[in-house]
C-alpha cells in the first residue's frame, strides 16, 4: 500500500480538523487493512522499526487494546504506559514525560488524558506524531471514525441523509462531540436525545437537532448510538438517580419498537447494562456493538500508518 499524497498530517487530534477528503482517505486505508485481518499471517511490515508508546492516563479497554493490536499488526514495537504507573504521579509534568519518551527514541505517541487539549499540547511540543485517544470531554477521533466506518459497512459508503440519534450523556461526552463533527461532514443528520440537563439546546449551534422526547428522537433514526452516564466527568448531579434516568431514557424492548425495523443499535462501550441499554438489546441481532470494536483495529491501523507516513516512518508496502 502507498500512503495517499493528499495526507499531510503528522497528528490526529480532532475530527473538526479533518477535511472530507481526509476522512475518505482514512476509510479507504482502513478498508485495505481490514481485508488483511482475515489472513492467517496478519502482520504487515509497514511500521517495522517504529516504536509506538501508548500513554494512557485514564482507564481504557477497547481503545488501548485496539491501538496495541493495530500497531502490532503493522510490525511496530509497542510499549504501553499507564498514568498511575508513570512518574506523572510523582509530580512530573506532561511536557517532561513527553520529552523523556522522545529522548528514549520513541517515534509516535498515542495518548488518553482527562484534560481537554492535552493531545494538541503534546503535538505542539514534540516532533513525534501524536494520536488523540480521548482528551477530557473534547474529542475521541478514532471512536468517531470507527463508528462512521461501521455505519458505512451497514448502509453503504454514502451516509448522506442517514439519521443517527445519539442518546445519553451528551454534555460530558467526547464521543458525542467527535461523532457530531464526523457525521455532519459525511452528510448525515444528527439528533441528540436525553434529559435537558445532559442535552442542552446549545448543541443546536453545531447544526444538530436536540430532542428531549425519546419517541420522536427514535422514530426516524437509521442508527441509535447509546452513551453511558459519565460520572467521572460530572461535578454535580444532573438527574435524580440512575433508576430515574433508566425509566425515562434507557433503551429497552418496548422503546426499541419505536425504531424503524432496520435501525441498528450502537454503543462505544463500556456498556452499563440495564442502565442506558437493556442486555437483550445489546446482544440482539440489531446490535453492531462488537462490529464497532473489531473495526477499531483497521481504523487505528489506518491512522497510525497515515500519520507515520507524514514523518516518513512507514514503509510503503
Ligand atoms: N470506547 C472507548 O473509548 O472505550 P474504552 O474506554 O474501553 O477505551
Amino acid at each position: 500500500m502507498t500512503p495517499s499524497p493528499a495526507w499531510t498530517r503528522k497528528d490526529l487530534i480532532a475530527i473538526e480538523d479533518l477535511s472530507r477528503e481526509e476522512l475518505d482517505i482514512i476509510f479507504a486505508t482502513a478498508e485495505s487493512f481490514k481485508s488483511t485481518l482475515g489472513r492467517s499471517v496478519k502482520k504487515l511490515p509497514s511500521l517495522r522499526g517504529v516504536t509506538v508508546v501508548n500513554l494512557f492516563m485514564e482507564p481504557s479497554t477497547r481503545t488501548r487494546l485496539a491501538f496495541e493490536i493495530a500497531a502490532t499488526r503493522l510490525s511496530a514495537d509497542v510499549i504501553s504506559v499507564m498514568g498511575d504507573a508513570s512518574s506523572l504521579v510523582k509530580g512530573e509534568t506532561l511536557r517532561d514525560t513527553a520529552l523523556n519518551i522522545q529522548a528514549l527514541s520513541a517515534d509516535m505517541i498515542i495518548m488518553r488524558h482527562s484534560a481537554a487539549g492535552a493531545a494538541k499540547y503534546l503535538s505542539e511540543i514534540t516532533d513525534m506524531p501524536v494520536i488523540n485517544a480521548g482528551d477530557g470531554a473534547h474529542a475521541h477521533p478514532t471512536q468517531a471514525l470507527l463508528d462512521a466506518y461501521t455505519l458505512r459497512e451497514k448502509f453503504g459508503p454514502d451516509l448522506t441523509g442517514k439519521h443517527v440519534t445519539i442518546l445519553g450523556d451528551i454534555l460530558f461526552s467526547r464521543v458525542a462531540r467527535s461523532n457530531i463533527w464526523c457525521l455532519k461532514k459525511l452528510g448525515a443528520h444528527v439528533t441528540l436525545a436525553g434529559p435537558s440537563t445532559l442535552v442542552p439546546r446549545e448543541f443546536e449551534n453545531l447544526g444538530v437537532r436536540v430532542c428531549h422526547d425519546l419517541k420522536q428522537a427514535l422514530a426516524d433514526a437509521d442508527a441509535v448510538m447509546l452513551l453511558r452516564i459519565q460520572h467521572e466527568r460530572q461535578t454535580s448531579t444532573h438527574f435524580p438517580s440512575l433508576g430515574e434516568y433508566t425509566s425515562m431514557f434507557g433503551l429497552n424492548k418496548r422503546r426499541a419498537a419505536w425504531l424503524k425495523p432496520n435501525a441498528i443499535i450502537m454503543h462505544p462501550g463500556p456498556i452499563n447494562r440495564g442502565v442506558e441499554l437493556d442486555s437483550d438489546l445489546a446482544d440482539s441481532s440489531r446490535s453492531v456493538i462488537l462490529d464497532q470494536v473489531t473495526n477499531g483495529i483497521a481504523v487505528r491501523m489506518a491512522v497510525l500508518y497515515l500519520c507515520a507516513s507524514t514523518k516518513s516512518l512507514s514503509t510503503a508496502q
Side-chain angles (χ1 to χ4, degrees), residues 38-75:
R39 294 182 189 165
S40 53
V41 180
K42 296 184 179 69
K43 272 203 175 188
L44 300 170
S46 314
L47 295 191
R48 195 163 45 204
V50 174
T51 301
V52 175
V53 171
N54 235 348
L55 183 60
F56 273 63
M57 257 76 95
E58 276 190 340
S60 169
T61 299
R62 282 146 290 271
T63 311
R64 186 172 64 78
L65 282 176
F67 267 119
E68 268 189 42
I69 293 167
T72 306
R73 294 276 185 269
L74 294 169
S75 301

Side-chain angles (χ1 to χ4, degrees), residues 2-242:
T2 309
S4 166
W7 183 272
T8 56
R9 292 181 185 279
K10 83 169 177 71
D11 311 299
L12 178 65
I13 305 300
I15 298 289
E16 55 260 47
D17 303 334
L18 301 181
S19 66
R20 173 62 198 261
E21 187 186 8
E22 288 172 311
L23 289 175
D24 288 339
I25 292 169
I26 294 172
F27 296 136
T29 310
E31 239 162 69
S32 299
F33 283 132
K34 187 162 180 183
S35 67
T36 69
L37 293 175
R39 294 182 189 165
S40 53
V41 180
K42 296 184 179 69
K43 272 203 175 188
L44 300 170
S46 314
L47 295 191
R48 195 163 45 204
V50 174
T51 301
V52 175
V53 171
N54 235 348
L55 183 60
F56 273 63
M57 257 76 95
E58 276 190 340
S60 169
T61 299
R62 282 146 290 271
T63 311
R64 186 172 64 78
L65 282 176
F67 267 119
E68 268 189 42
I69 293 167
T72 306
R73 294 276 185 269
L74 294 169
S75 301
D77 298 312
V78 192
I79 300 157
S80 283
V81 186
M82 301 303 124
D84 59 3
S86 76
S87 289
L88 283 158
V89 291
K90 298 184 213 161
E92 186 167 61
T93 63
L94 180 59
R95 182 174 187 277
D96 282 338
T97 300
L99 295 180
N100 277 274
I101 290 172
Q102 189 164 265
L104 288 164
S105 303
D107 298 299
M108 299 182 84
I109 295 193
I110 299 158
M111 186 174 75
R112 171 168 288 189
H113 199 285
S114 58
K120 174 132 186 74
Y121 170 68
L122 213 63
S123 72
E124 288 166 355
I125 59 160
T126 96
D127 293 333
M128 295 177 284
V130 174
I131 314 295
N132 185 5
D135 61 328
H138 170 231
H140 192 348
T142 57
Q143 180 66 47
L145 291 168
L146 72 89
D147 291 339
Y149 187 93
T150 306
L151 284 163
R152 290 167 93 256
E153 266 189 348
K154 301 296 163 193
F155 297 118
D158 185 5
L159 297 182
T160 309
K162 291 289 173 202
H163 288 264
V164 179
T165 292
I166 309 178
L167 167 59
D169 177 357
I170 311 290
L171 188 60
F172 294 94
S173 174
R174 55 192 173 211
V175 173
R177 284 173 180 76
S178 288
N179 262 295
I180 292 167
W181 282 104
C182 192
L183 292 165
K184 294 284 299 167
K185 282 175 192 265
L186 297 173
H189 301 295
V190 179
T191 296
L192 306 179
S196 56
T197 46
L198 293 177
V199 192
R201 289 267 166 222
E202 284 70 27
F203 277 98
E204 286 171 345
N205 297 332
L206 295 176
V208 300
R209 179 171 73 132
V210 167
C211 184
H212 301 122
D213 178 323
L214 188 51
K215 194 170 189 175
Q216 253 181 40
L218 295 179
D220 60 357
D222 296 293
V224 57
M225 196 178 285
L226 285 309
L227 297 177
R228 73 183 171 88
I229 305 298
Q230 286 153 100
H231 301 286
E232 70 274 25
R233 276 191 271 285
Q234 295 186 3
T235 48
S236 57
T237 309
H238 288 73
F239 45 86
S241 69
L242 268 188

